[in-house]
């Protein structure tokens, strides 16, 4: 059989793992596939090449220029892969076109997916339910109404903890390409803070009055940006006093800390907490 024979290409546990994690996380690098599946790199790369050749998986190369190197390729389910996942794995999957994904989107998208993979692993290792994800990677699924404002969260993670409590985490990821020359993180987070003072945030996320309040997890591409947000966000115009309980909802990490998803989150008062399990 040739590598483009669909019966051959998909007839392996490694191919099934690749297709299932692409269905779950939408768009992945090889490194992220290895992280999500635990497979051997050589075997995974060989099977992935076959899936791309057979049009089950799409691929986008990011070449920055002759002297600037390249970013890792991005992979996603092609229409053929979507159909196979639906029919053979009975998993939800959506059509996606990422051939024109901009280079400027690559790092931001990668950090979102890193966080989701880490959340998946943390939930599994701590005996919680498998998380459900809504992300900005597929349209407006992660839209949140914040009173007079509307936000498209990078991701919303929902799961049941070990005591059966429903937990909802809003994930926002920021990349400081401009080295402190942008106010976007402050502008986007401010409506979450205001909505979190009352019930607007929880209401929008479908959390009942007796439910566990949503937490907003803010992930920055480096520690310096994380520390700036922690230090400056409470002092922005229109922000509530630090004494209000709403600030306990906002937790911060840098991207290199996200692998330990459940621990080491910083509050604006500088204390470190562990997520409930």
């Amino acid at each position: 059989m040739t590598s483009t024979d669909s019966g051959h290409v998909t007839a392996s546990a490694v191919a099934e793992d690749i297709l299932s994690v692409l269905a779950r996380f939408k768009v992945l690098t090889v490194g992220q596939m290895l992280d999500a599946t635990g497979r051997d790199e050589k075997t995974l790369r060989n099977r992935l090449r076959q899936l791309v050749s057979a049009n089950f998986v799409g691929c986008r190369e990011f070449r920055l220029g002759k002297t600037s190197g390249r970013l890792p390729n991005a992979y996603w389910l092609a229409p053929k892969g979507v159909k196979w996942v639906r029919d053979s794995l009975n998993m939800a999957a959506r059509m996606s076109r990422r051939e024109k994904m901009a280079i400027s989107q690559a790092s931001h998208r990668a950090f979102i997916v890193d966080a989701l993979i880490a959340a998946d692993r943390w939930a599994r290792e701590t005996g919680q339910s498998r998380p459900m994800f809504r992300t900005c990677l597929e349209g407006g699924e992660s839209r949140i109404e914040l009173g007079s404002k509307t936000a498209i969260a990078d991701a919303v993670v929902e799961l049941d903890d070990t005591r059966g409590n429903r937990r909802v985490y809003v994930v926002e990821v920021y990349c400081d390409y401009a080295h402190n020359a942008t106010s976007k993180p402050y502008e986007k987070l401010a409506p979450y803070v205001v909505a979190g003072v009352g019930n607007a945030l929880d209401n929008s996320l479908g959390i009942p009055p007796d439910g566990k309040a949503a937490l907003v997890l803010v992930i920055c591409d480096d520690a310096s940006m994380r520390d700036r947000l922690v230090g400056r966000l409470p002092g922005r115009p229109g922000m509530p006093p630090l004494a209000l309980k709403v600030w306990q909802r906002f937790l911060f990490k840098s991207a290199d800390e996200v692998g330990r998803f459940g621990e080491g989150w910083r509050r604006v008062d500088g204390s470190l907490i562990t997520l409930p399990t």
Side-chain angles (χ1 to χ4, degrees):
M1 292 183 180
T2 67
S3 63
T4 57
D5 185 310
S6 61
H8 172 71
V9 171
T10 59
S12 80
V14 176
E16 182 175 318
D17 281 354
I18 292 170
L19 294 167
S20 64
V21 295
L22 286 173
R24 182 153 177 75
F25 299 108
K26 312 304 182 191
V27 56
L28 297 167
T29 64
V30 168
Q32 289 171 328
M33 287 185 212
L34 293 170
D35 192 16
T37 66
R39 291 293 183 177
D40 169 72
E41 181 173 358
K42 182 178 179 181
T43 304
L44 184 141
R45 285 185 179 275
N46 287 339
R47 188 58 69 178
L48 179 61
R49 279 194 292 270
Q50 293 176 341
L51 289 168
V52 172
S53 178
N55 297 317
F56 282 82
V57 173
C59 175
R60 167 75 160 93
E61 294 186 355
F62 294 104
R63 297 185 182 276
L64 306 181
K66 293 181 179 179
T67 60
S68 303
R70 58 184 295 174
L71 298 173
N73 293 348
Y75 298 88
W76 61 89
L77 286 180
K80 220 171 149 181
V82 169
K83 185 177 186 305
W84 189 90
V85 165
R86 290 174 177 170
D87 295 345
S88 301
L89 301 182
N90 195 29
M91 286 181 66
R94 295 178 58 179
M95 299 296 180
S96 186
R97 294 186 64 84
R98 301 190 179 276
E99 293 92 336
K100 296 182 180 180
M101 186 190 303
I103 288 177
S104 60
Q105 296 175 309
S107 294
H108 182 255
R109 176 264 306 157
F111 288 140
I112 295 171
V113 174
D114 284 344
L116 299 183
I117 292 172
D120 227 23
R121 183 170 53 247
W122 164 69
R124 183 174 61 252
E125 291 175 348
T126 53
Q128 301 179 86
S129 71
R130 193 179 196 196
M132 294 190 303
F133 302 139
R134 291 184 283 131
T135 77
C136 68
L137 301 173
E138 295 295 342
E141 290 184 350
S142 57
R143 182 185 303 274
I144 303 174
E145 301 299 332
L146 302 173
S148 61
K149 301 285 187 179
T150 299
I152 303 295
D154 288 328
V156 178
V157 178
E158 301 181 52
L159 54 76
D160 292 333
D161 68 19
T162 56
R163 297 184 180 183
N165 298 308
R166 194 64 172 166
R167 301 284 182 175
V168 182
Y169 302 97
V170 177
V171 178
E172 290 287 358
V173 175
Y174 297 104
C175 300
D176 193 15
Y177 303 119
H179 302 290
N180 199 26
T182 176
S183 61
K184 181 179 178 181
Y186 303 103
E187 294 169 354
K188 190 169 183 183
L189 288 173
Y192 283 113
V193 180
V194 174
V197 173
N199 298 321
L201 177 57
D202 290 340
N203 288 344
S204 180
L205 292 165
I207 300 172
D210 60 347
K212 299 296 185 181
L215 298 179
V216 179
L217 308 181
V218 182
I219 301 168
C220 302
D221 64 344
D222 62 39
S224 62
M225 185 183 194
R226 176 203 64 204
D227 293 344
R228 287 199 306 275
L229 284 180
V230 169
R232 297 179 187 177
L233 180 62
R236 300 282 291 185
M239 292 295 90
L242 271 174
L244 289 190
K245 193 174 180 180
V246 63
W247 288 109
Q248 296 180 19
R249 290 176 177 252
F250 291 82
L251 307 175
F252 300 79
K253 265 184 184 284
S254 59
D256 61 353
E257 299 170 322
V258 83
R260 297 179 293 106
F261 192 82
E263 60 189 63
W265 290 95
R266 297 169 187 260
R267 286 178 169 158
V268 294
D269 65 3
S271 61
L272 298 179
I273 75 159
T274 296
L275 297 181
T277 57

